[in-house]
């Protein structure tokens, strides 16, 4: 779906609000807005998951310095643990494969414990923090070879 679709925008806004709340006490959060912006022109694909109640999950993948990076993986709290995140991640990895990528990368933060377990379970391994996240001290970056 289009990156600017209202359902996609609403879910990304929820994701950002969640992150802002989670990291509000960290001094490095001052750099968060600059590192977290997404140029819509860089977005290769955007996916929104729906159930009978409406939009419940979001993910997009963008081109970043010649790499494909998964962004804004988010599932509404009431639907976490239902397999939606697995489907979103598989969709993003499929896009990366279709685009000819040999790997996909992702950035998250050290306070997102569920995300860290999720990515580990799906075969993502740590890599050095890459730009534009190097000034955000709680940054953790991962890759998965495709």
């Amino acid at each position: 779906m289009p990156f600017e679709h209202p359902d996609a925008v609403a879910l990304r806004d929820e994701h950002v609000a969640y992150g802002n709340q989670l990291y509000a006490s960290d001094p490095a959060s001052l750099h968060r807005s600059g590192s977290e912006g997404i140029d819509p022109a860089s977005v290769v694909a955007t996916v929104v998951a729906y159930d009978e109640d409406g939009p419940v999950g979001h993910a997009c993948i963008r081109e970043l310095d010649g790499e494909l990076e998964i962004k804004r993986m988010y599932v509404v709290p009431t639907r976490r643990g239902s397999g939606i995140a697995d489907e979103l991640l598989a969709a993003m990895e499929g896009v990366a494969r279709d685009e000819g990528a040999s790997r996909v990368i992702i950035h998250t933060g050290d306070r997102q414990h569920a995300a860290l377990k999720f990515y580990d379970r799906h075969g993502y391994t740590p890599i050095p923090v890459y730009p534009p996240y190097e000034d955000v001290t709680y940054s953790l970056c991962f890759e998965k070879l495709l």
Side-chain angles (χ1 to χ4, degrees), residues 2-68:
F3 183 73
E4 294 300 332
H5 187 282
D7 292 341
V9 171
L11 287 164
R12 283 195 307 273
D13 288 348
E14 283 183 41
H15 178 269
V16 170
Y18 170 75
N20 288 344
Q21 181 181 16
L22 193 60
Y23 292 99
S25 66
D26 191 309
S29 66
L30 294 174
H31 301 286
R32 186 172 166 79
S33 62
S35 69
E36 290 295 302
I38 300 174
D39 176 1
S42 71
V43 175
V44 176
T46 303
V47 175
V48 172
Y50 292 87
D51 71 6
E52 61 279 353
D53 296 324
V56 294
H58 175 279
C60 64
I61 192 165
R62 72 170 174 177
E63 190 279 325
L64 179 68
D65 296 329
E67 301 272 6
L68 289 180

Side-chain angles (χ1 to χ4, degrees), residues 90-104:
M92 295 299 94
E93 291 172 356
V95 168
R97 281 187 196 92
D98 291 347
E99 292 289 320
S102 60
R103 76 173 186 161
V104 65

Side-chain angles (χ1 to χ4, degrees), residues 4 20 24 36 38 42 49-50 57 73 84 88 108 111 113 115 137:
E4 294 300 332
N20 288 344
E36 290 295 302
I38 300 174
S42 71
Y50 292 87
M73 279 280 302
I84 293 169
L88 290 169
T108 191
R111 295 182 184 180
H113 304 290
T137 57

